[in-house]
């Protein structure tokens, strides 16, 4: 490998890290803005005046519009027109649209009841659910090493949700969101290499907009100027997150970028302290350590298996 090639690869890796880091930060802004918009029972918010208490469907309807515009922009860049959205995978897009909406609804609803950092830690369980479900749903082989890691991850979830106390609605909603998100990732695999990325983004987004119109209008509440500003910030951050994540995955491998995902806990803890005077408990931090460790090992293991599969003939079985 020449020096020029090494420098180019090194530069691409650095840009991938920067884009991914920016994407994680953007989605952290989305989470904090959404939590502010949703409001919390008997909770005083610092720095931002008012407790907006907007409905879940109302927030989904308003904040899905910017990502939809991003999807159309990506379509225009790829095809020359924002409306070239022909697809052969209607059933899969419909399923993914439902799962994306389920992920969004349960997470947005759960934000109302739990500290932001707690929500993020529980949501970190999604890749663990992916590993656990990829066997029965996709027929993928999951060996004893990864099953052991899944077990460690689930222990981390149990520690984080503190089962010695009553598990509330918020915890159940965020767990449901993690499962729905895992199913969203799993359903993306059959489309990989067969469907364009702009179609995947568009159809998963437009489904939520269409479904949220009626319930969003029915539960509509007056929106203050401050709330409108938060909605714009949330929408722009969501669009920014999608664009930077796409660029990151074009330049770097998922297994390489995965550990950066967990910097979201830092941003969540900072926002929780700044806006709600919250800080993660010892149990949440201990659970986070187990979940993050399990996720990093799973990403590392899958990367090694992928390298082995490329290094041997396809008909040869690669032991776990």
């Amino acid at each position: 490998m020449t020096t020029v090639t090494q420098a180019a690869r090194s530069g691409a890796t650095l840009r991938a890290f920067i884009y991914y880091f920016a994407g994680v930060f953007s989605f952290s802004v989305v989470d904090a803005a959404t939590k502010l918009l949703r409001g919390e029972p008997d909770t005083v918010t610092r720095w931002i005046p008012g407790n907006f208490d907007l409905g879940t469907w109302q927030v989904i309807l308003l904040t899905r519009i910017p990502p939809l515009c991003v999807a159309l922009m990506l379509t225009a860049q790829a095809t020359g027109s924002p409306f070239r959205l022909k697809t052969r995978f209607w059933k899969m897009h419909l399923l993914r649209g439902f799962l994306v909406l389920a992920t969004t609804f349960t997470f947005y609803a759960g934000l109302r009841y739990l500290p932001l950092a707690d929500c993020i830690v529980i949501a970190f369980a999604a890749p663990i659910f992916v590993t656990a479900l990829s066997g029965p749903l996709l027929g993928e082989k999951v060996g004893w090493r990864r099953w052991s890691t899944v077990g460690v991850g689930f222990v981390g979830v149990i520690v984080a949700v503190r089962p010695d106390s009553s598990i509330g609605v918020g915890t159940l909603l965020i767990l449901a969101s993690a499962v729905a998100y895992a199913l969203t990732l799993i359903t993306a695999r059959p489309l990989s290499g067969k469907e364009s990325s702009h179609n995947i983004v568009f159809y998963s987004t437009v489904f939520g907009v269409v479904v949220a119109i009626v319930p969003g209008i029915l539960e509509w509440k007056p929106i203050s100027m401050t709330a409108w500003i938060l909605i714009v910030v949330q929408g722009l951050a969501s669009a920014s997150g999608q664009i930077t994540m796409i660029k990151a995955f074009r330049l770097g491998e998922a297994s390489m970028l995965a550990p950066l995902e967990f910097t979201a806990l830092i941003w969540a803890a900072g926002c929780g302290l700044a806006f709600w005077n919250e800080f993660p408990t010892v149990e949440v931090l201990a659970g986070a350590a187990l979940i993050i460790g399990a996720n990093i090992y799973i990403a590392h293991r899958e990367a090694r298996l992928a390298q082995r599969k490329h290094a041997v003939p396809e008909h040869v079985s690669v032991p776990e």
Side-chain angles (χ1 to χ4, degrees):
M1 184 183 298
T2 66
T3 304
V4 175
T5 304
Q6 289 178 331
R9 179 168 295 182
S10 177
T13 300
L14 178 60
R15 292 199 304 275
F17 277 122
I18 293 173
Y19 279 130
Y20 200 85
F21 187 80
V24 172
F25 174 76
S26 296
F27 285 125
S28 298
V29 172
V30 170
D31 295 338
T34 303
K35 186 173 176 64
L36 288 166
L37 289 168
R38 293 287 291 119
E40 288 183 275
D42 304 320
T43 299
V44 177
T45 302
R46 300 195 298 175
W47 308 112
I48 304 294
N51 191 354
F52 308 108
D53 196 23
L54 300 184
T56 303
W57 287 112
Q58 183 180 6
V59 174
I60 290 175
L61 175 60
L62 293 171
T63 57
R64 289 298 85 194
I65 295 175
L68 183 61
C69 294
V70 171
L72 293 174
M73 182 187 71
L74 293 174
T75 304
Q77 288 180 343
T79 68
S81 170
F83 305 111
R84 290 180 181 170
L85 298 160
K86 186 177 180 179
T87 181
R88 296 181 292 110
F89 305 99
W90 288 106
K91 292 183 179 179
M92 185 60 71
H93 283 307
L94 187 63
L95 174 60
R96 293 195 74 255
F98 170 78
L99 291 171
V100 169
L101 181 60
T103 302
T104 305
F105 180 86
T106 50
F107 190 79
Y108 283 12
L111 282 171
R112 179 178 173 86
Y113 300 100
L114 292 177
L116 184 58
D118 291 36
C119 294
I120 298 302
V121 168
I122 298 172
F124 281 162
I128 297 170
F129 287 125
V130 169
T131 301
L133 295 173
S134 60
L137 294 182
L138 295 179
E140 295 181 358
K141 180 183 177 182
V142 179
W144 67 269
R145 292 182 180 85
R146 281 187 289 173
W147 275 121
S148 300
T149 308
V150 167
V152 172
F154 282 140
V155 170
V157 173
I158 293 172
V159 172
V161 301
R162 300 182 296 281
D164 53 311
S165 59
S166 58
I167 297 179
V169 174
T171 299
L172 294 176
L173 285 168
I174 301 299
L175 280 173
S177 177
V179 174
Y181 183 58
L183 291 172
T184 301
L185 296 176
I186 288 174
T187 54
R189 292 185 181 181
L191 292 175
S192 178
K194 300 178 182 179
E195 181 66 296
S196 61
S197 59
H198 55 84
N199 268 10
I200 293 174
V201 174
F202 173 80
Y203 286 109
S204 63
T205 305
V206 74
F207 183 89
V209 174
V210 172
V211 173
I213 289 175
V214 173
I217 293 175
L218 290 176
E219 70 174 12
W220 194 270
K221 296 179 182 179
I223 304 176
S224 67
M225 180 57 67
T226 306
W228 276 117
I229 293 173
L230 284 173
I231 289 170
V232 172
V233 168
Q234 202 263 29
L236 293 176
S238 178
S240 171
Q242 292 197 48
I243 292 173
T244 52
M245 286 290 191
I246 290 172
K247 289 185 177 181
F249 284 121
R250 285 176 179 170
L251 294 169
E253 297 178 357
S255 58
M256 174 188 73
L257 299 171
L260 281 180
E261 182 74 31
F262 307 114
T263 59
L265 180 57
I266 299 173
W267 301 121
C271 290
L273 185 62
F275 293 118
W276 300 281
N277 199 28
E278 300 169 343
F279 195 78
T281 63
V282 174
E283 293 88 351
V284 170
L285 292 175
L290 291 172
I291 295 169
I292 291 172
N295 279 324
I296 291 175
Y297 180 80
I298 288 172
H300 170 70
R301 187 66 184 169
E302 289 185 351
R304 288 189 60 188
L305 289 175
Q307 290 175 351
R308 289 184 186 180
K309 288 177 181 178
H310 288 304
V312 297
E314 290 183 357
H315 66 276
V316 177
S317 174
V318 179
E320 174 65 335

